[in-house]
Structures are given as structure tokens and as C-alpha cells.
Amino acid sequence: MTATIPNAICDAVAQALPLVKHGSLRVWGKFFGRPYDNIHRIIGCSPLVDGVQFTFDEGETLTVWHPSRWDISPARFEIFEASRVRWDWFYYGREKSPENRYHIEWTAWGDVATVSTNVDWFQTSSEIRRQGAAAELL
């Protein structure tokens, strides 16, 4: 039986742990937060029917739907193509509780991605131009 893409991605993560690349999250060329302000460390990976979910050391999750072409190693974490990307995190510095859990989601639509979020303390664009990898850690 041929391995599915989500299983192959999680296998690459498992082979690279605990040294899998860590760093600041960038989605389609846009940093989550200020560039290089946060360091995110992957601690696990779960294959989904139509994607993959990465778990991080501070309780964050990165979910990527329909991923293709990736480079995951101690030197790189990059998923080049996807139909949708979602980042879930707890408000940093506050209790890790449901009311402090936030998300931002990017959905590919041609050469742009629509953006939705439940963040209530800053404005975000409702659309970005897709540039670069669907998800990467720098």
C-alpha cells in the first residue's frame, strides 16, 4: 500500500524529532506576529484524512489541508502547497483556557488567500497575496 501524503509528512517529522526545524511561523509569505519574535517547536504530528496537524510545545497547532511538496528536517520546515492553513494558539502570557484560545485561518483562492480569525485585539487583512510556501518555520 502506498503511503498517504499526511502519513509521509508525519513520518518525516518523526524522523527529525526532536531536532526538527523550529522558528517563527510564516504562511504564504506573511509572518504570524512580528518576524522572528516567537520560536515555535514541533513536538508531534497527526495525519488527517485530508491533511496534517502539527502540535507545538506551547499548545499551539498548525493544521494544513491538502499539503503537497514538503521539506522537513533539522534544517528546514516547509510545506510548499496547501489549500488551507490554520494556526491555533493560546494568548501568550495568559492561562491556557478555552477563552484564551485563538486562531487564524488562510484559505487559498487562486493567487490570494482569504483570512479569517477570532482575534479581537487587532485588525487583520481579509485577504493576502500568496507568496512563498504555504507554511514554514524560519
Side-chain angles (χ1 to χ4, degrees):
M1 182 169 128
T2 304
T4 65
I5 288 175
N7 285 333
I9 290 171
C10 286
D11 287 347
V13 169
Q15 289 175 14
L17 282 174
L19 302 175
V20 70
K21 171 71 174 162
H22 53 274
S24 293
L25 176 65
R26 191 164 70 173
V27 175
W28 282 309
K30 304 293 182 198
F31 278 96
F32 168 72
R34 291 182 290 212
Y36 308 104
D37 194 32
N38 291 306
I39 301 297
H40 304 290
R41 296 181 194 284
I42 295 173
I43 60 170
C45 180
S46 300
L48 306 173
V49 171
D50 56 353
V52 63
Q53 186 172 74
F54 304 94
T55 307
F56 290 77
D57 63 339
E58 293 292 326
E60 306 101 330
T61 58
L62 176 67
T63 308
V64 181
W65 284 266
H66 307 107
S68 64
R69 296 190 315 112
W70 65 92
D71 188 352
I72 297 172
S73 69
R76 294 186 75 159
F77 177 88
E78 203 164 10
I79 300 195
F80 297 101
E81 296 293 332
S83 63
R84 185 168 43 143
V85 177
R86 180 179 168 121
W87 177 247
D88 289 271
W89 76 98
F90 291 100
Y91 191 109
Y92 297 109
R94 293 188 184 168
E95 178 184 352
K96 292 180 181 175
S97 60
E99 62 272 9
N100 290 327
R101 185 123 175 119
Y102 291 90
H103 70 267
I104 186 166
E105 189 169 304
W106 301 263
T107 304
W109 188 257
D111 63 351
V112 299
T114 58
V115 182
S116 63
T117 185
N118 66 342
V119 168
D120 57 5
W121 65 90
F122 70 84
Q123 291 287 351
T124 185
S125 299
S126 61
E127 187 176 277
I128 62 166
R129 182 165 181 77
R130 294 193 315 143
Q131 299 176 20
E136 61 187 326
L137 294 173
L138 300 172

